[in-house]
Amino acid sequence: MPFSNIPRPHVLKSLKDAKPIPYWMDNPQRPEAAPFLTGTVSADLCIIGAGFTGLWAALLAKESDPGLEVVLLEAGQTGSGASGRNGGFTDHCLTHTFENGLSRWPDELPALVRMGYENLDAIEETVRRYQIDCDFLRSGEMVVATEPYQLERMPEAPAKAASYGLELHYFDQEQTRALVNSPTYLGSVYDPKTVMLDPARLAWGLRRAGLERGVRLFEGTRATGLEAEAGGLVIRTQDGGVRAKKVALATNAFPPLLKRLKSYIVPVYDYALMTEPLTEAQRASIGWEKRMGVGDAGSQFHYYRTSADGRILWGGYDAVYYWNNGFGPHLEANAESFGRLADHFFQTFPQLEGIRFTHAWGGAIDTCSRFNVFWGQAFGGKLVYAMGYTGLGVGASRFGAQVMLDLLNGEDNERTRLKMVREKPLPFPPEPLRSLVVNLSRWSMDQADRNEGRRNLWLRLLDAIGLGFDT
């Protein structure tokens, strides 16, 4: 049966003491804030946003040219946005999913698969070289079927993916439940390459590496405007500014400095829970010794994984859009979504009934209509942006940052020649149509999950025009 959407009253007790902050950020090892910018400074490259995209851009730029003057601006603290709030799934896939890439860029997909593997290897090499303690673990990820219709195409998935250079494995019900034991599982597809890590500690490690290389970081410094001047751009902040020859914009789900981007990005709120550490008996009841990530195969899906200290992170399902690109801290807690998530957790793992959640949080995902990162330029090529990761940016953000630097430097290479890089997603309509489109799509996906995956006329129309709301 599909997941029930009405939380049982006793389940809500599991949330009673949950802190409304991201688990990863609730860490005494969190670095002290960098100074905020006062006055005006100059830079060869100014990067706006110290999430993963901005951090990778800063580090890669300094590694490529140690003499480059790089300034990194962050309105909050490093990793305080989506980079420190996510599940820590670090995927090699650059196209959100294999099927999404196949439907949009089939001719480029073998190259995109290869580049994705190379990108993930480069992340691992960076973690090792800079000794970043982020619980980097190549445990892989299982996508599990919980309904018979979800299982139908799984056995053929590995052969189909292999023809494009992607490694997948099919596991039947017994094999799947031997790895992670839930009575809801019918089978799974396993990707052995996916990495699990602590996203906040990765962000802090990249921050340290950048500072050691000479990046100038200013936190608590919000960029309030951009304007062109001879030889570059001026980035205005609340107490000063930066004169830069080039600018990399890495604000993602945050309200963009360029008005043109408002039609391409909608901030969609995702919510997550973290349990208390499991006892030995609880852990034995579910297995999960290999610590792989797990996601279910519904259109509205859950993602979940274990942490180094023996907890379970459980997130996803709801993807909430608030009117007129609503954004802000007041939207990061949603009691209804937390209750629904908790109930779904116990439907999946009834043997863990009684366990408590210690953290419950939410955050905005930079969602675009094609579900994966896109790029663009402004001010005659002096500014480049990358955004739209749609929830899979932990790994793809390094690739996004590298392409940003390529474009800023006028590079003509395999990356910049990709159609994926040269094309943009379809824009979202203005309000009130925007809310209508997003909420009708959410309702339709819920109905598809309750009707053996059958997509209604609305979803089929979106598929036909290239919007393809399938995840």
Side-chain angles (χ1 to χ4, degrees):
M1 294 291 292
F3 287 97
S4 168
N5 280 338
I6 302 176
R8 294 163 289 169
H10 74 277
V11 169
L12 299 180
K13 295 180 181 179
S14 65
L15 294 162
K16 180 181 177 181
D17 300 318
K19 297 180 182 179
I21 56 176
Y23 168 75
W24 310 115
M25 303 295 286
D26 188 18
N27 188 331
Q29 297 178 355
R30 182 173 180 168
E32 293 186 10
F36 59 88
L37 177 63
T38 58
T40 301
V41 298
S42 297
D44 296 308
L45 172 63
C46 179
I47 301 165
I48 303 173
F52 286 133
T53 300
L55 291 164
W56 279 115
L59 182 58
L60 291 170
K62 289 295 285 186
E63 288 180 339
S64 176
D65 183 356
L68 202 68
E69 185 66 27
V70 177
V71 169
L72 178 57
L73 303 180
E74 168 55 43
Q77 285 187 259
T78 297
S80 58
S83 296
R85 297 171 180 270
N86 62 80
F89 287 62
T90 309
D91 205 321
H92 55 80
C93 183
L94 303 176
T95 59
H96 194 83
T97 63
F98 169 76
E99 294 292 344
N100 190 52
L102 183 61
S103 68
R104 299 181 191 279
W105 306 287
D107 295 339
E108 291 184 347
L109 194 54
L112 288 167
V113 168
R114 171 178 52 80
M115 290 180 188
Y117 282 138
E118 292 170 352
N119 180 67
L120 191 57
D121 289 343
I123 293 174
E124 182 173 23
E125 191 277 330
T126 299
V127 166
R128 184 185 304 112
R129 177 157 44 96
Y130 289 102
Q131 299 182 342
I132 298 174
D133 179 15
C134 63
D135 191 31
F136 188 101
L137 184 65
R138 282 193 185 256
S139 56
E141 178 185 5
M142 286 198 307
V143 175
V144 297
T146 59
E147 297 288 321
Y149 78 89
Q150 297 170 358
L151 190 64
E152 291 174 0
R153 296 184 180 180
M154 282 189 173
E156 65 190 43
K160 182 179 180 181
S163 64
Y164 291 89
L166 182 65
E167 180 183 355
L168 297 176
H169 302 275
Y170 170 70
F171 295 148
D172 63 21
Q173 183 178 45
E174 183 178 357
Q175 291 170 315
T176 300
R177 292 189 59 178
L179 292 169
V180 183
N181 184 23
S182 167
T184 67
Y185 294 170
L186 304 177
S188 64
V189 172
Y190 174 65
D191 184 333
K193 301 292 186 178
T194 304
V195 169
M196 300 293 119
L197 53 74
D198 182 322
R201 282 159 52 190
L202 174 61
W204 299 336
L206 294 174
R207 175 190 191 268
R208 172 179 56 80
L211 292 175
E212 289 173 354
R213 285 275 185 168
V215 173
R216 299 178 67 188
L217 170 65
F218 297 98
E219 295 181 321
T221 302
R222 183 178 299 277
T224 59
L226 292 163
E227 60 185 53
E229 68 171 11
L233 298 173
V234 176
I235 303 95
R236 296 190 300 275
T237 68
Q238 67 267 40
D239 294 305
V242 182
R243 282 192 163 87
K245 296 176 182 177
K246 298 176 182 178
V247 173
L249 186 61
T251 52
N252 294 294
F254 284 79
L257 285 172
L258 293 176
K259 291 183 179 180
R260 72 182 72 168
L261 297 178
K262 290 182 179 179
S263 63
Y264 288 103
I265 291 291
V266 294
V268 173
Y269 275 76
D270 175 65
Y271 297 94
L273 307 173
M274 183 68 93
T275 72
E276 62 190 346
L278 274 64
T279 65
E280 289 187 13
Q282 288 170 331
R283 189 60 178 266
S285 73
I286 60 171
W288 215 341
E289 295 179 359
K290 293 186 178 181
R291 290 187 59 197
M292 69 281 290
V294 184
D296 51 56
S299 295
Q300 296 186 106
F301 64 94
H302 307 85
Y303 58 86
Y304 41 112
R305 55 160 298 185
T306 58
S307 65
D309 59 351
R311 303 168 185 263
I312 297 176
L313 181 147
W314 177 269
Y317 195 79
D318 283 345
V320 184
Y321 172 74
Y322 296 97
W323 171 264
N324 199 28
N325 281 21
F327 184 89
H330 62 293
L331 302 176
E332 292 169 4
N334 185 316
E336 183 179 351
S337 289
F338 293 151
R340 187 158 36 245
L341 278 172
D343 206 14
H344 292 182
F345 176 89
F346 292 117
Q347 289 177 49
T348 301
F349 297 118
Q351 64 269 50
L352 297 181
E353 196 79 43
I355 201 169
R356 298 286 181 136
F357 296 99
T358 61
H359 296 76
W361 71 95
I365 293 172
D366 56 328
T367 304
C368 73
S369 63
R370 76 181 197 187
F371 305 118
N372 66 292
V373 59
F374 67 94
W375 298 263
Q377 298 175 302
F379 295 99
K382 294 176 184 176
L383 180 147
V384 171
Y385 54 82
M387 57 184 58
Y389 296 97
T390 317
L392 284 181
V394 182
S397 54
R398 183 191 176 279
F399 184 82
Q402 183 62 73
V403 172
M404 272 204 306
L405 297 177
D406 289 344
L407 294 172
L408 281 171
N409 294 327
E411 298 285 347
D412 178 19
N413 57 31
E414 186 181 23
R415 290 185 293 263
T416 61
R417 288 192 292 269
L418 289 168
K419 288 182 180 179
M420 188 181 80
V421 171
R422 293 185 282 110
E423 298 175 346
K424 283 192 175 61
L426 291 173
F428 292 97
E431 295 290 11
L433 287 177
R434 180 171 298 190
S435 288
L436 178 64
V437 166
V438 174
N439 290 321
L440 178 57
S441 301
R442 290 183 62 221
W443 177 84
S444 297
M445 287 190 290
D446 181 69
Q447 293 303 300
D449 284 341
R450 296 177 189 286
N451 290 279
E452 298 185 335
R454 289 189 289 270
R455 298 167 74 80
N456 63 15
L457 180 62
W458 175 248
L459 291 181
R460 294 199 302 272
L461 174 62
L462 293 177
D463 291 338
I465 64 175
L467 287 174
F469 282 81
D470 60 349
T471 56

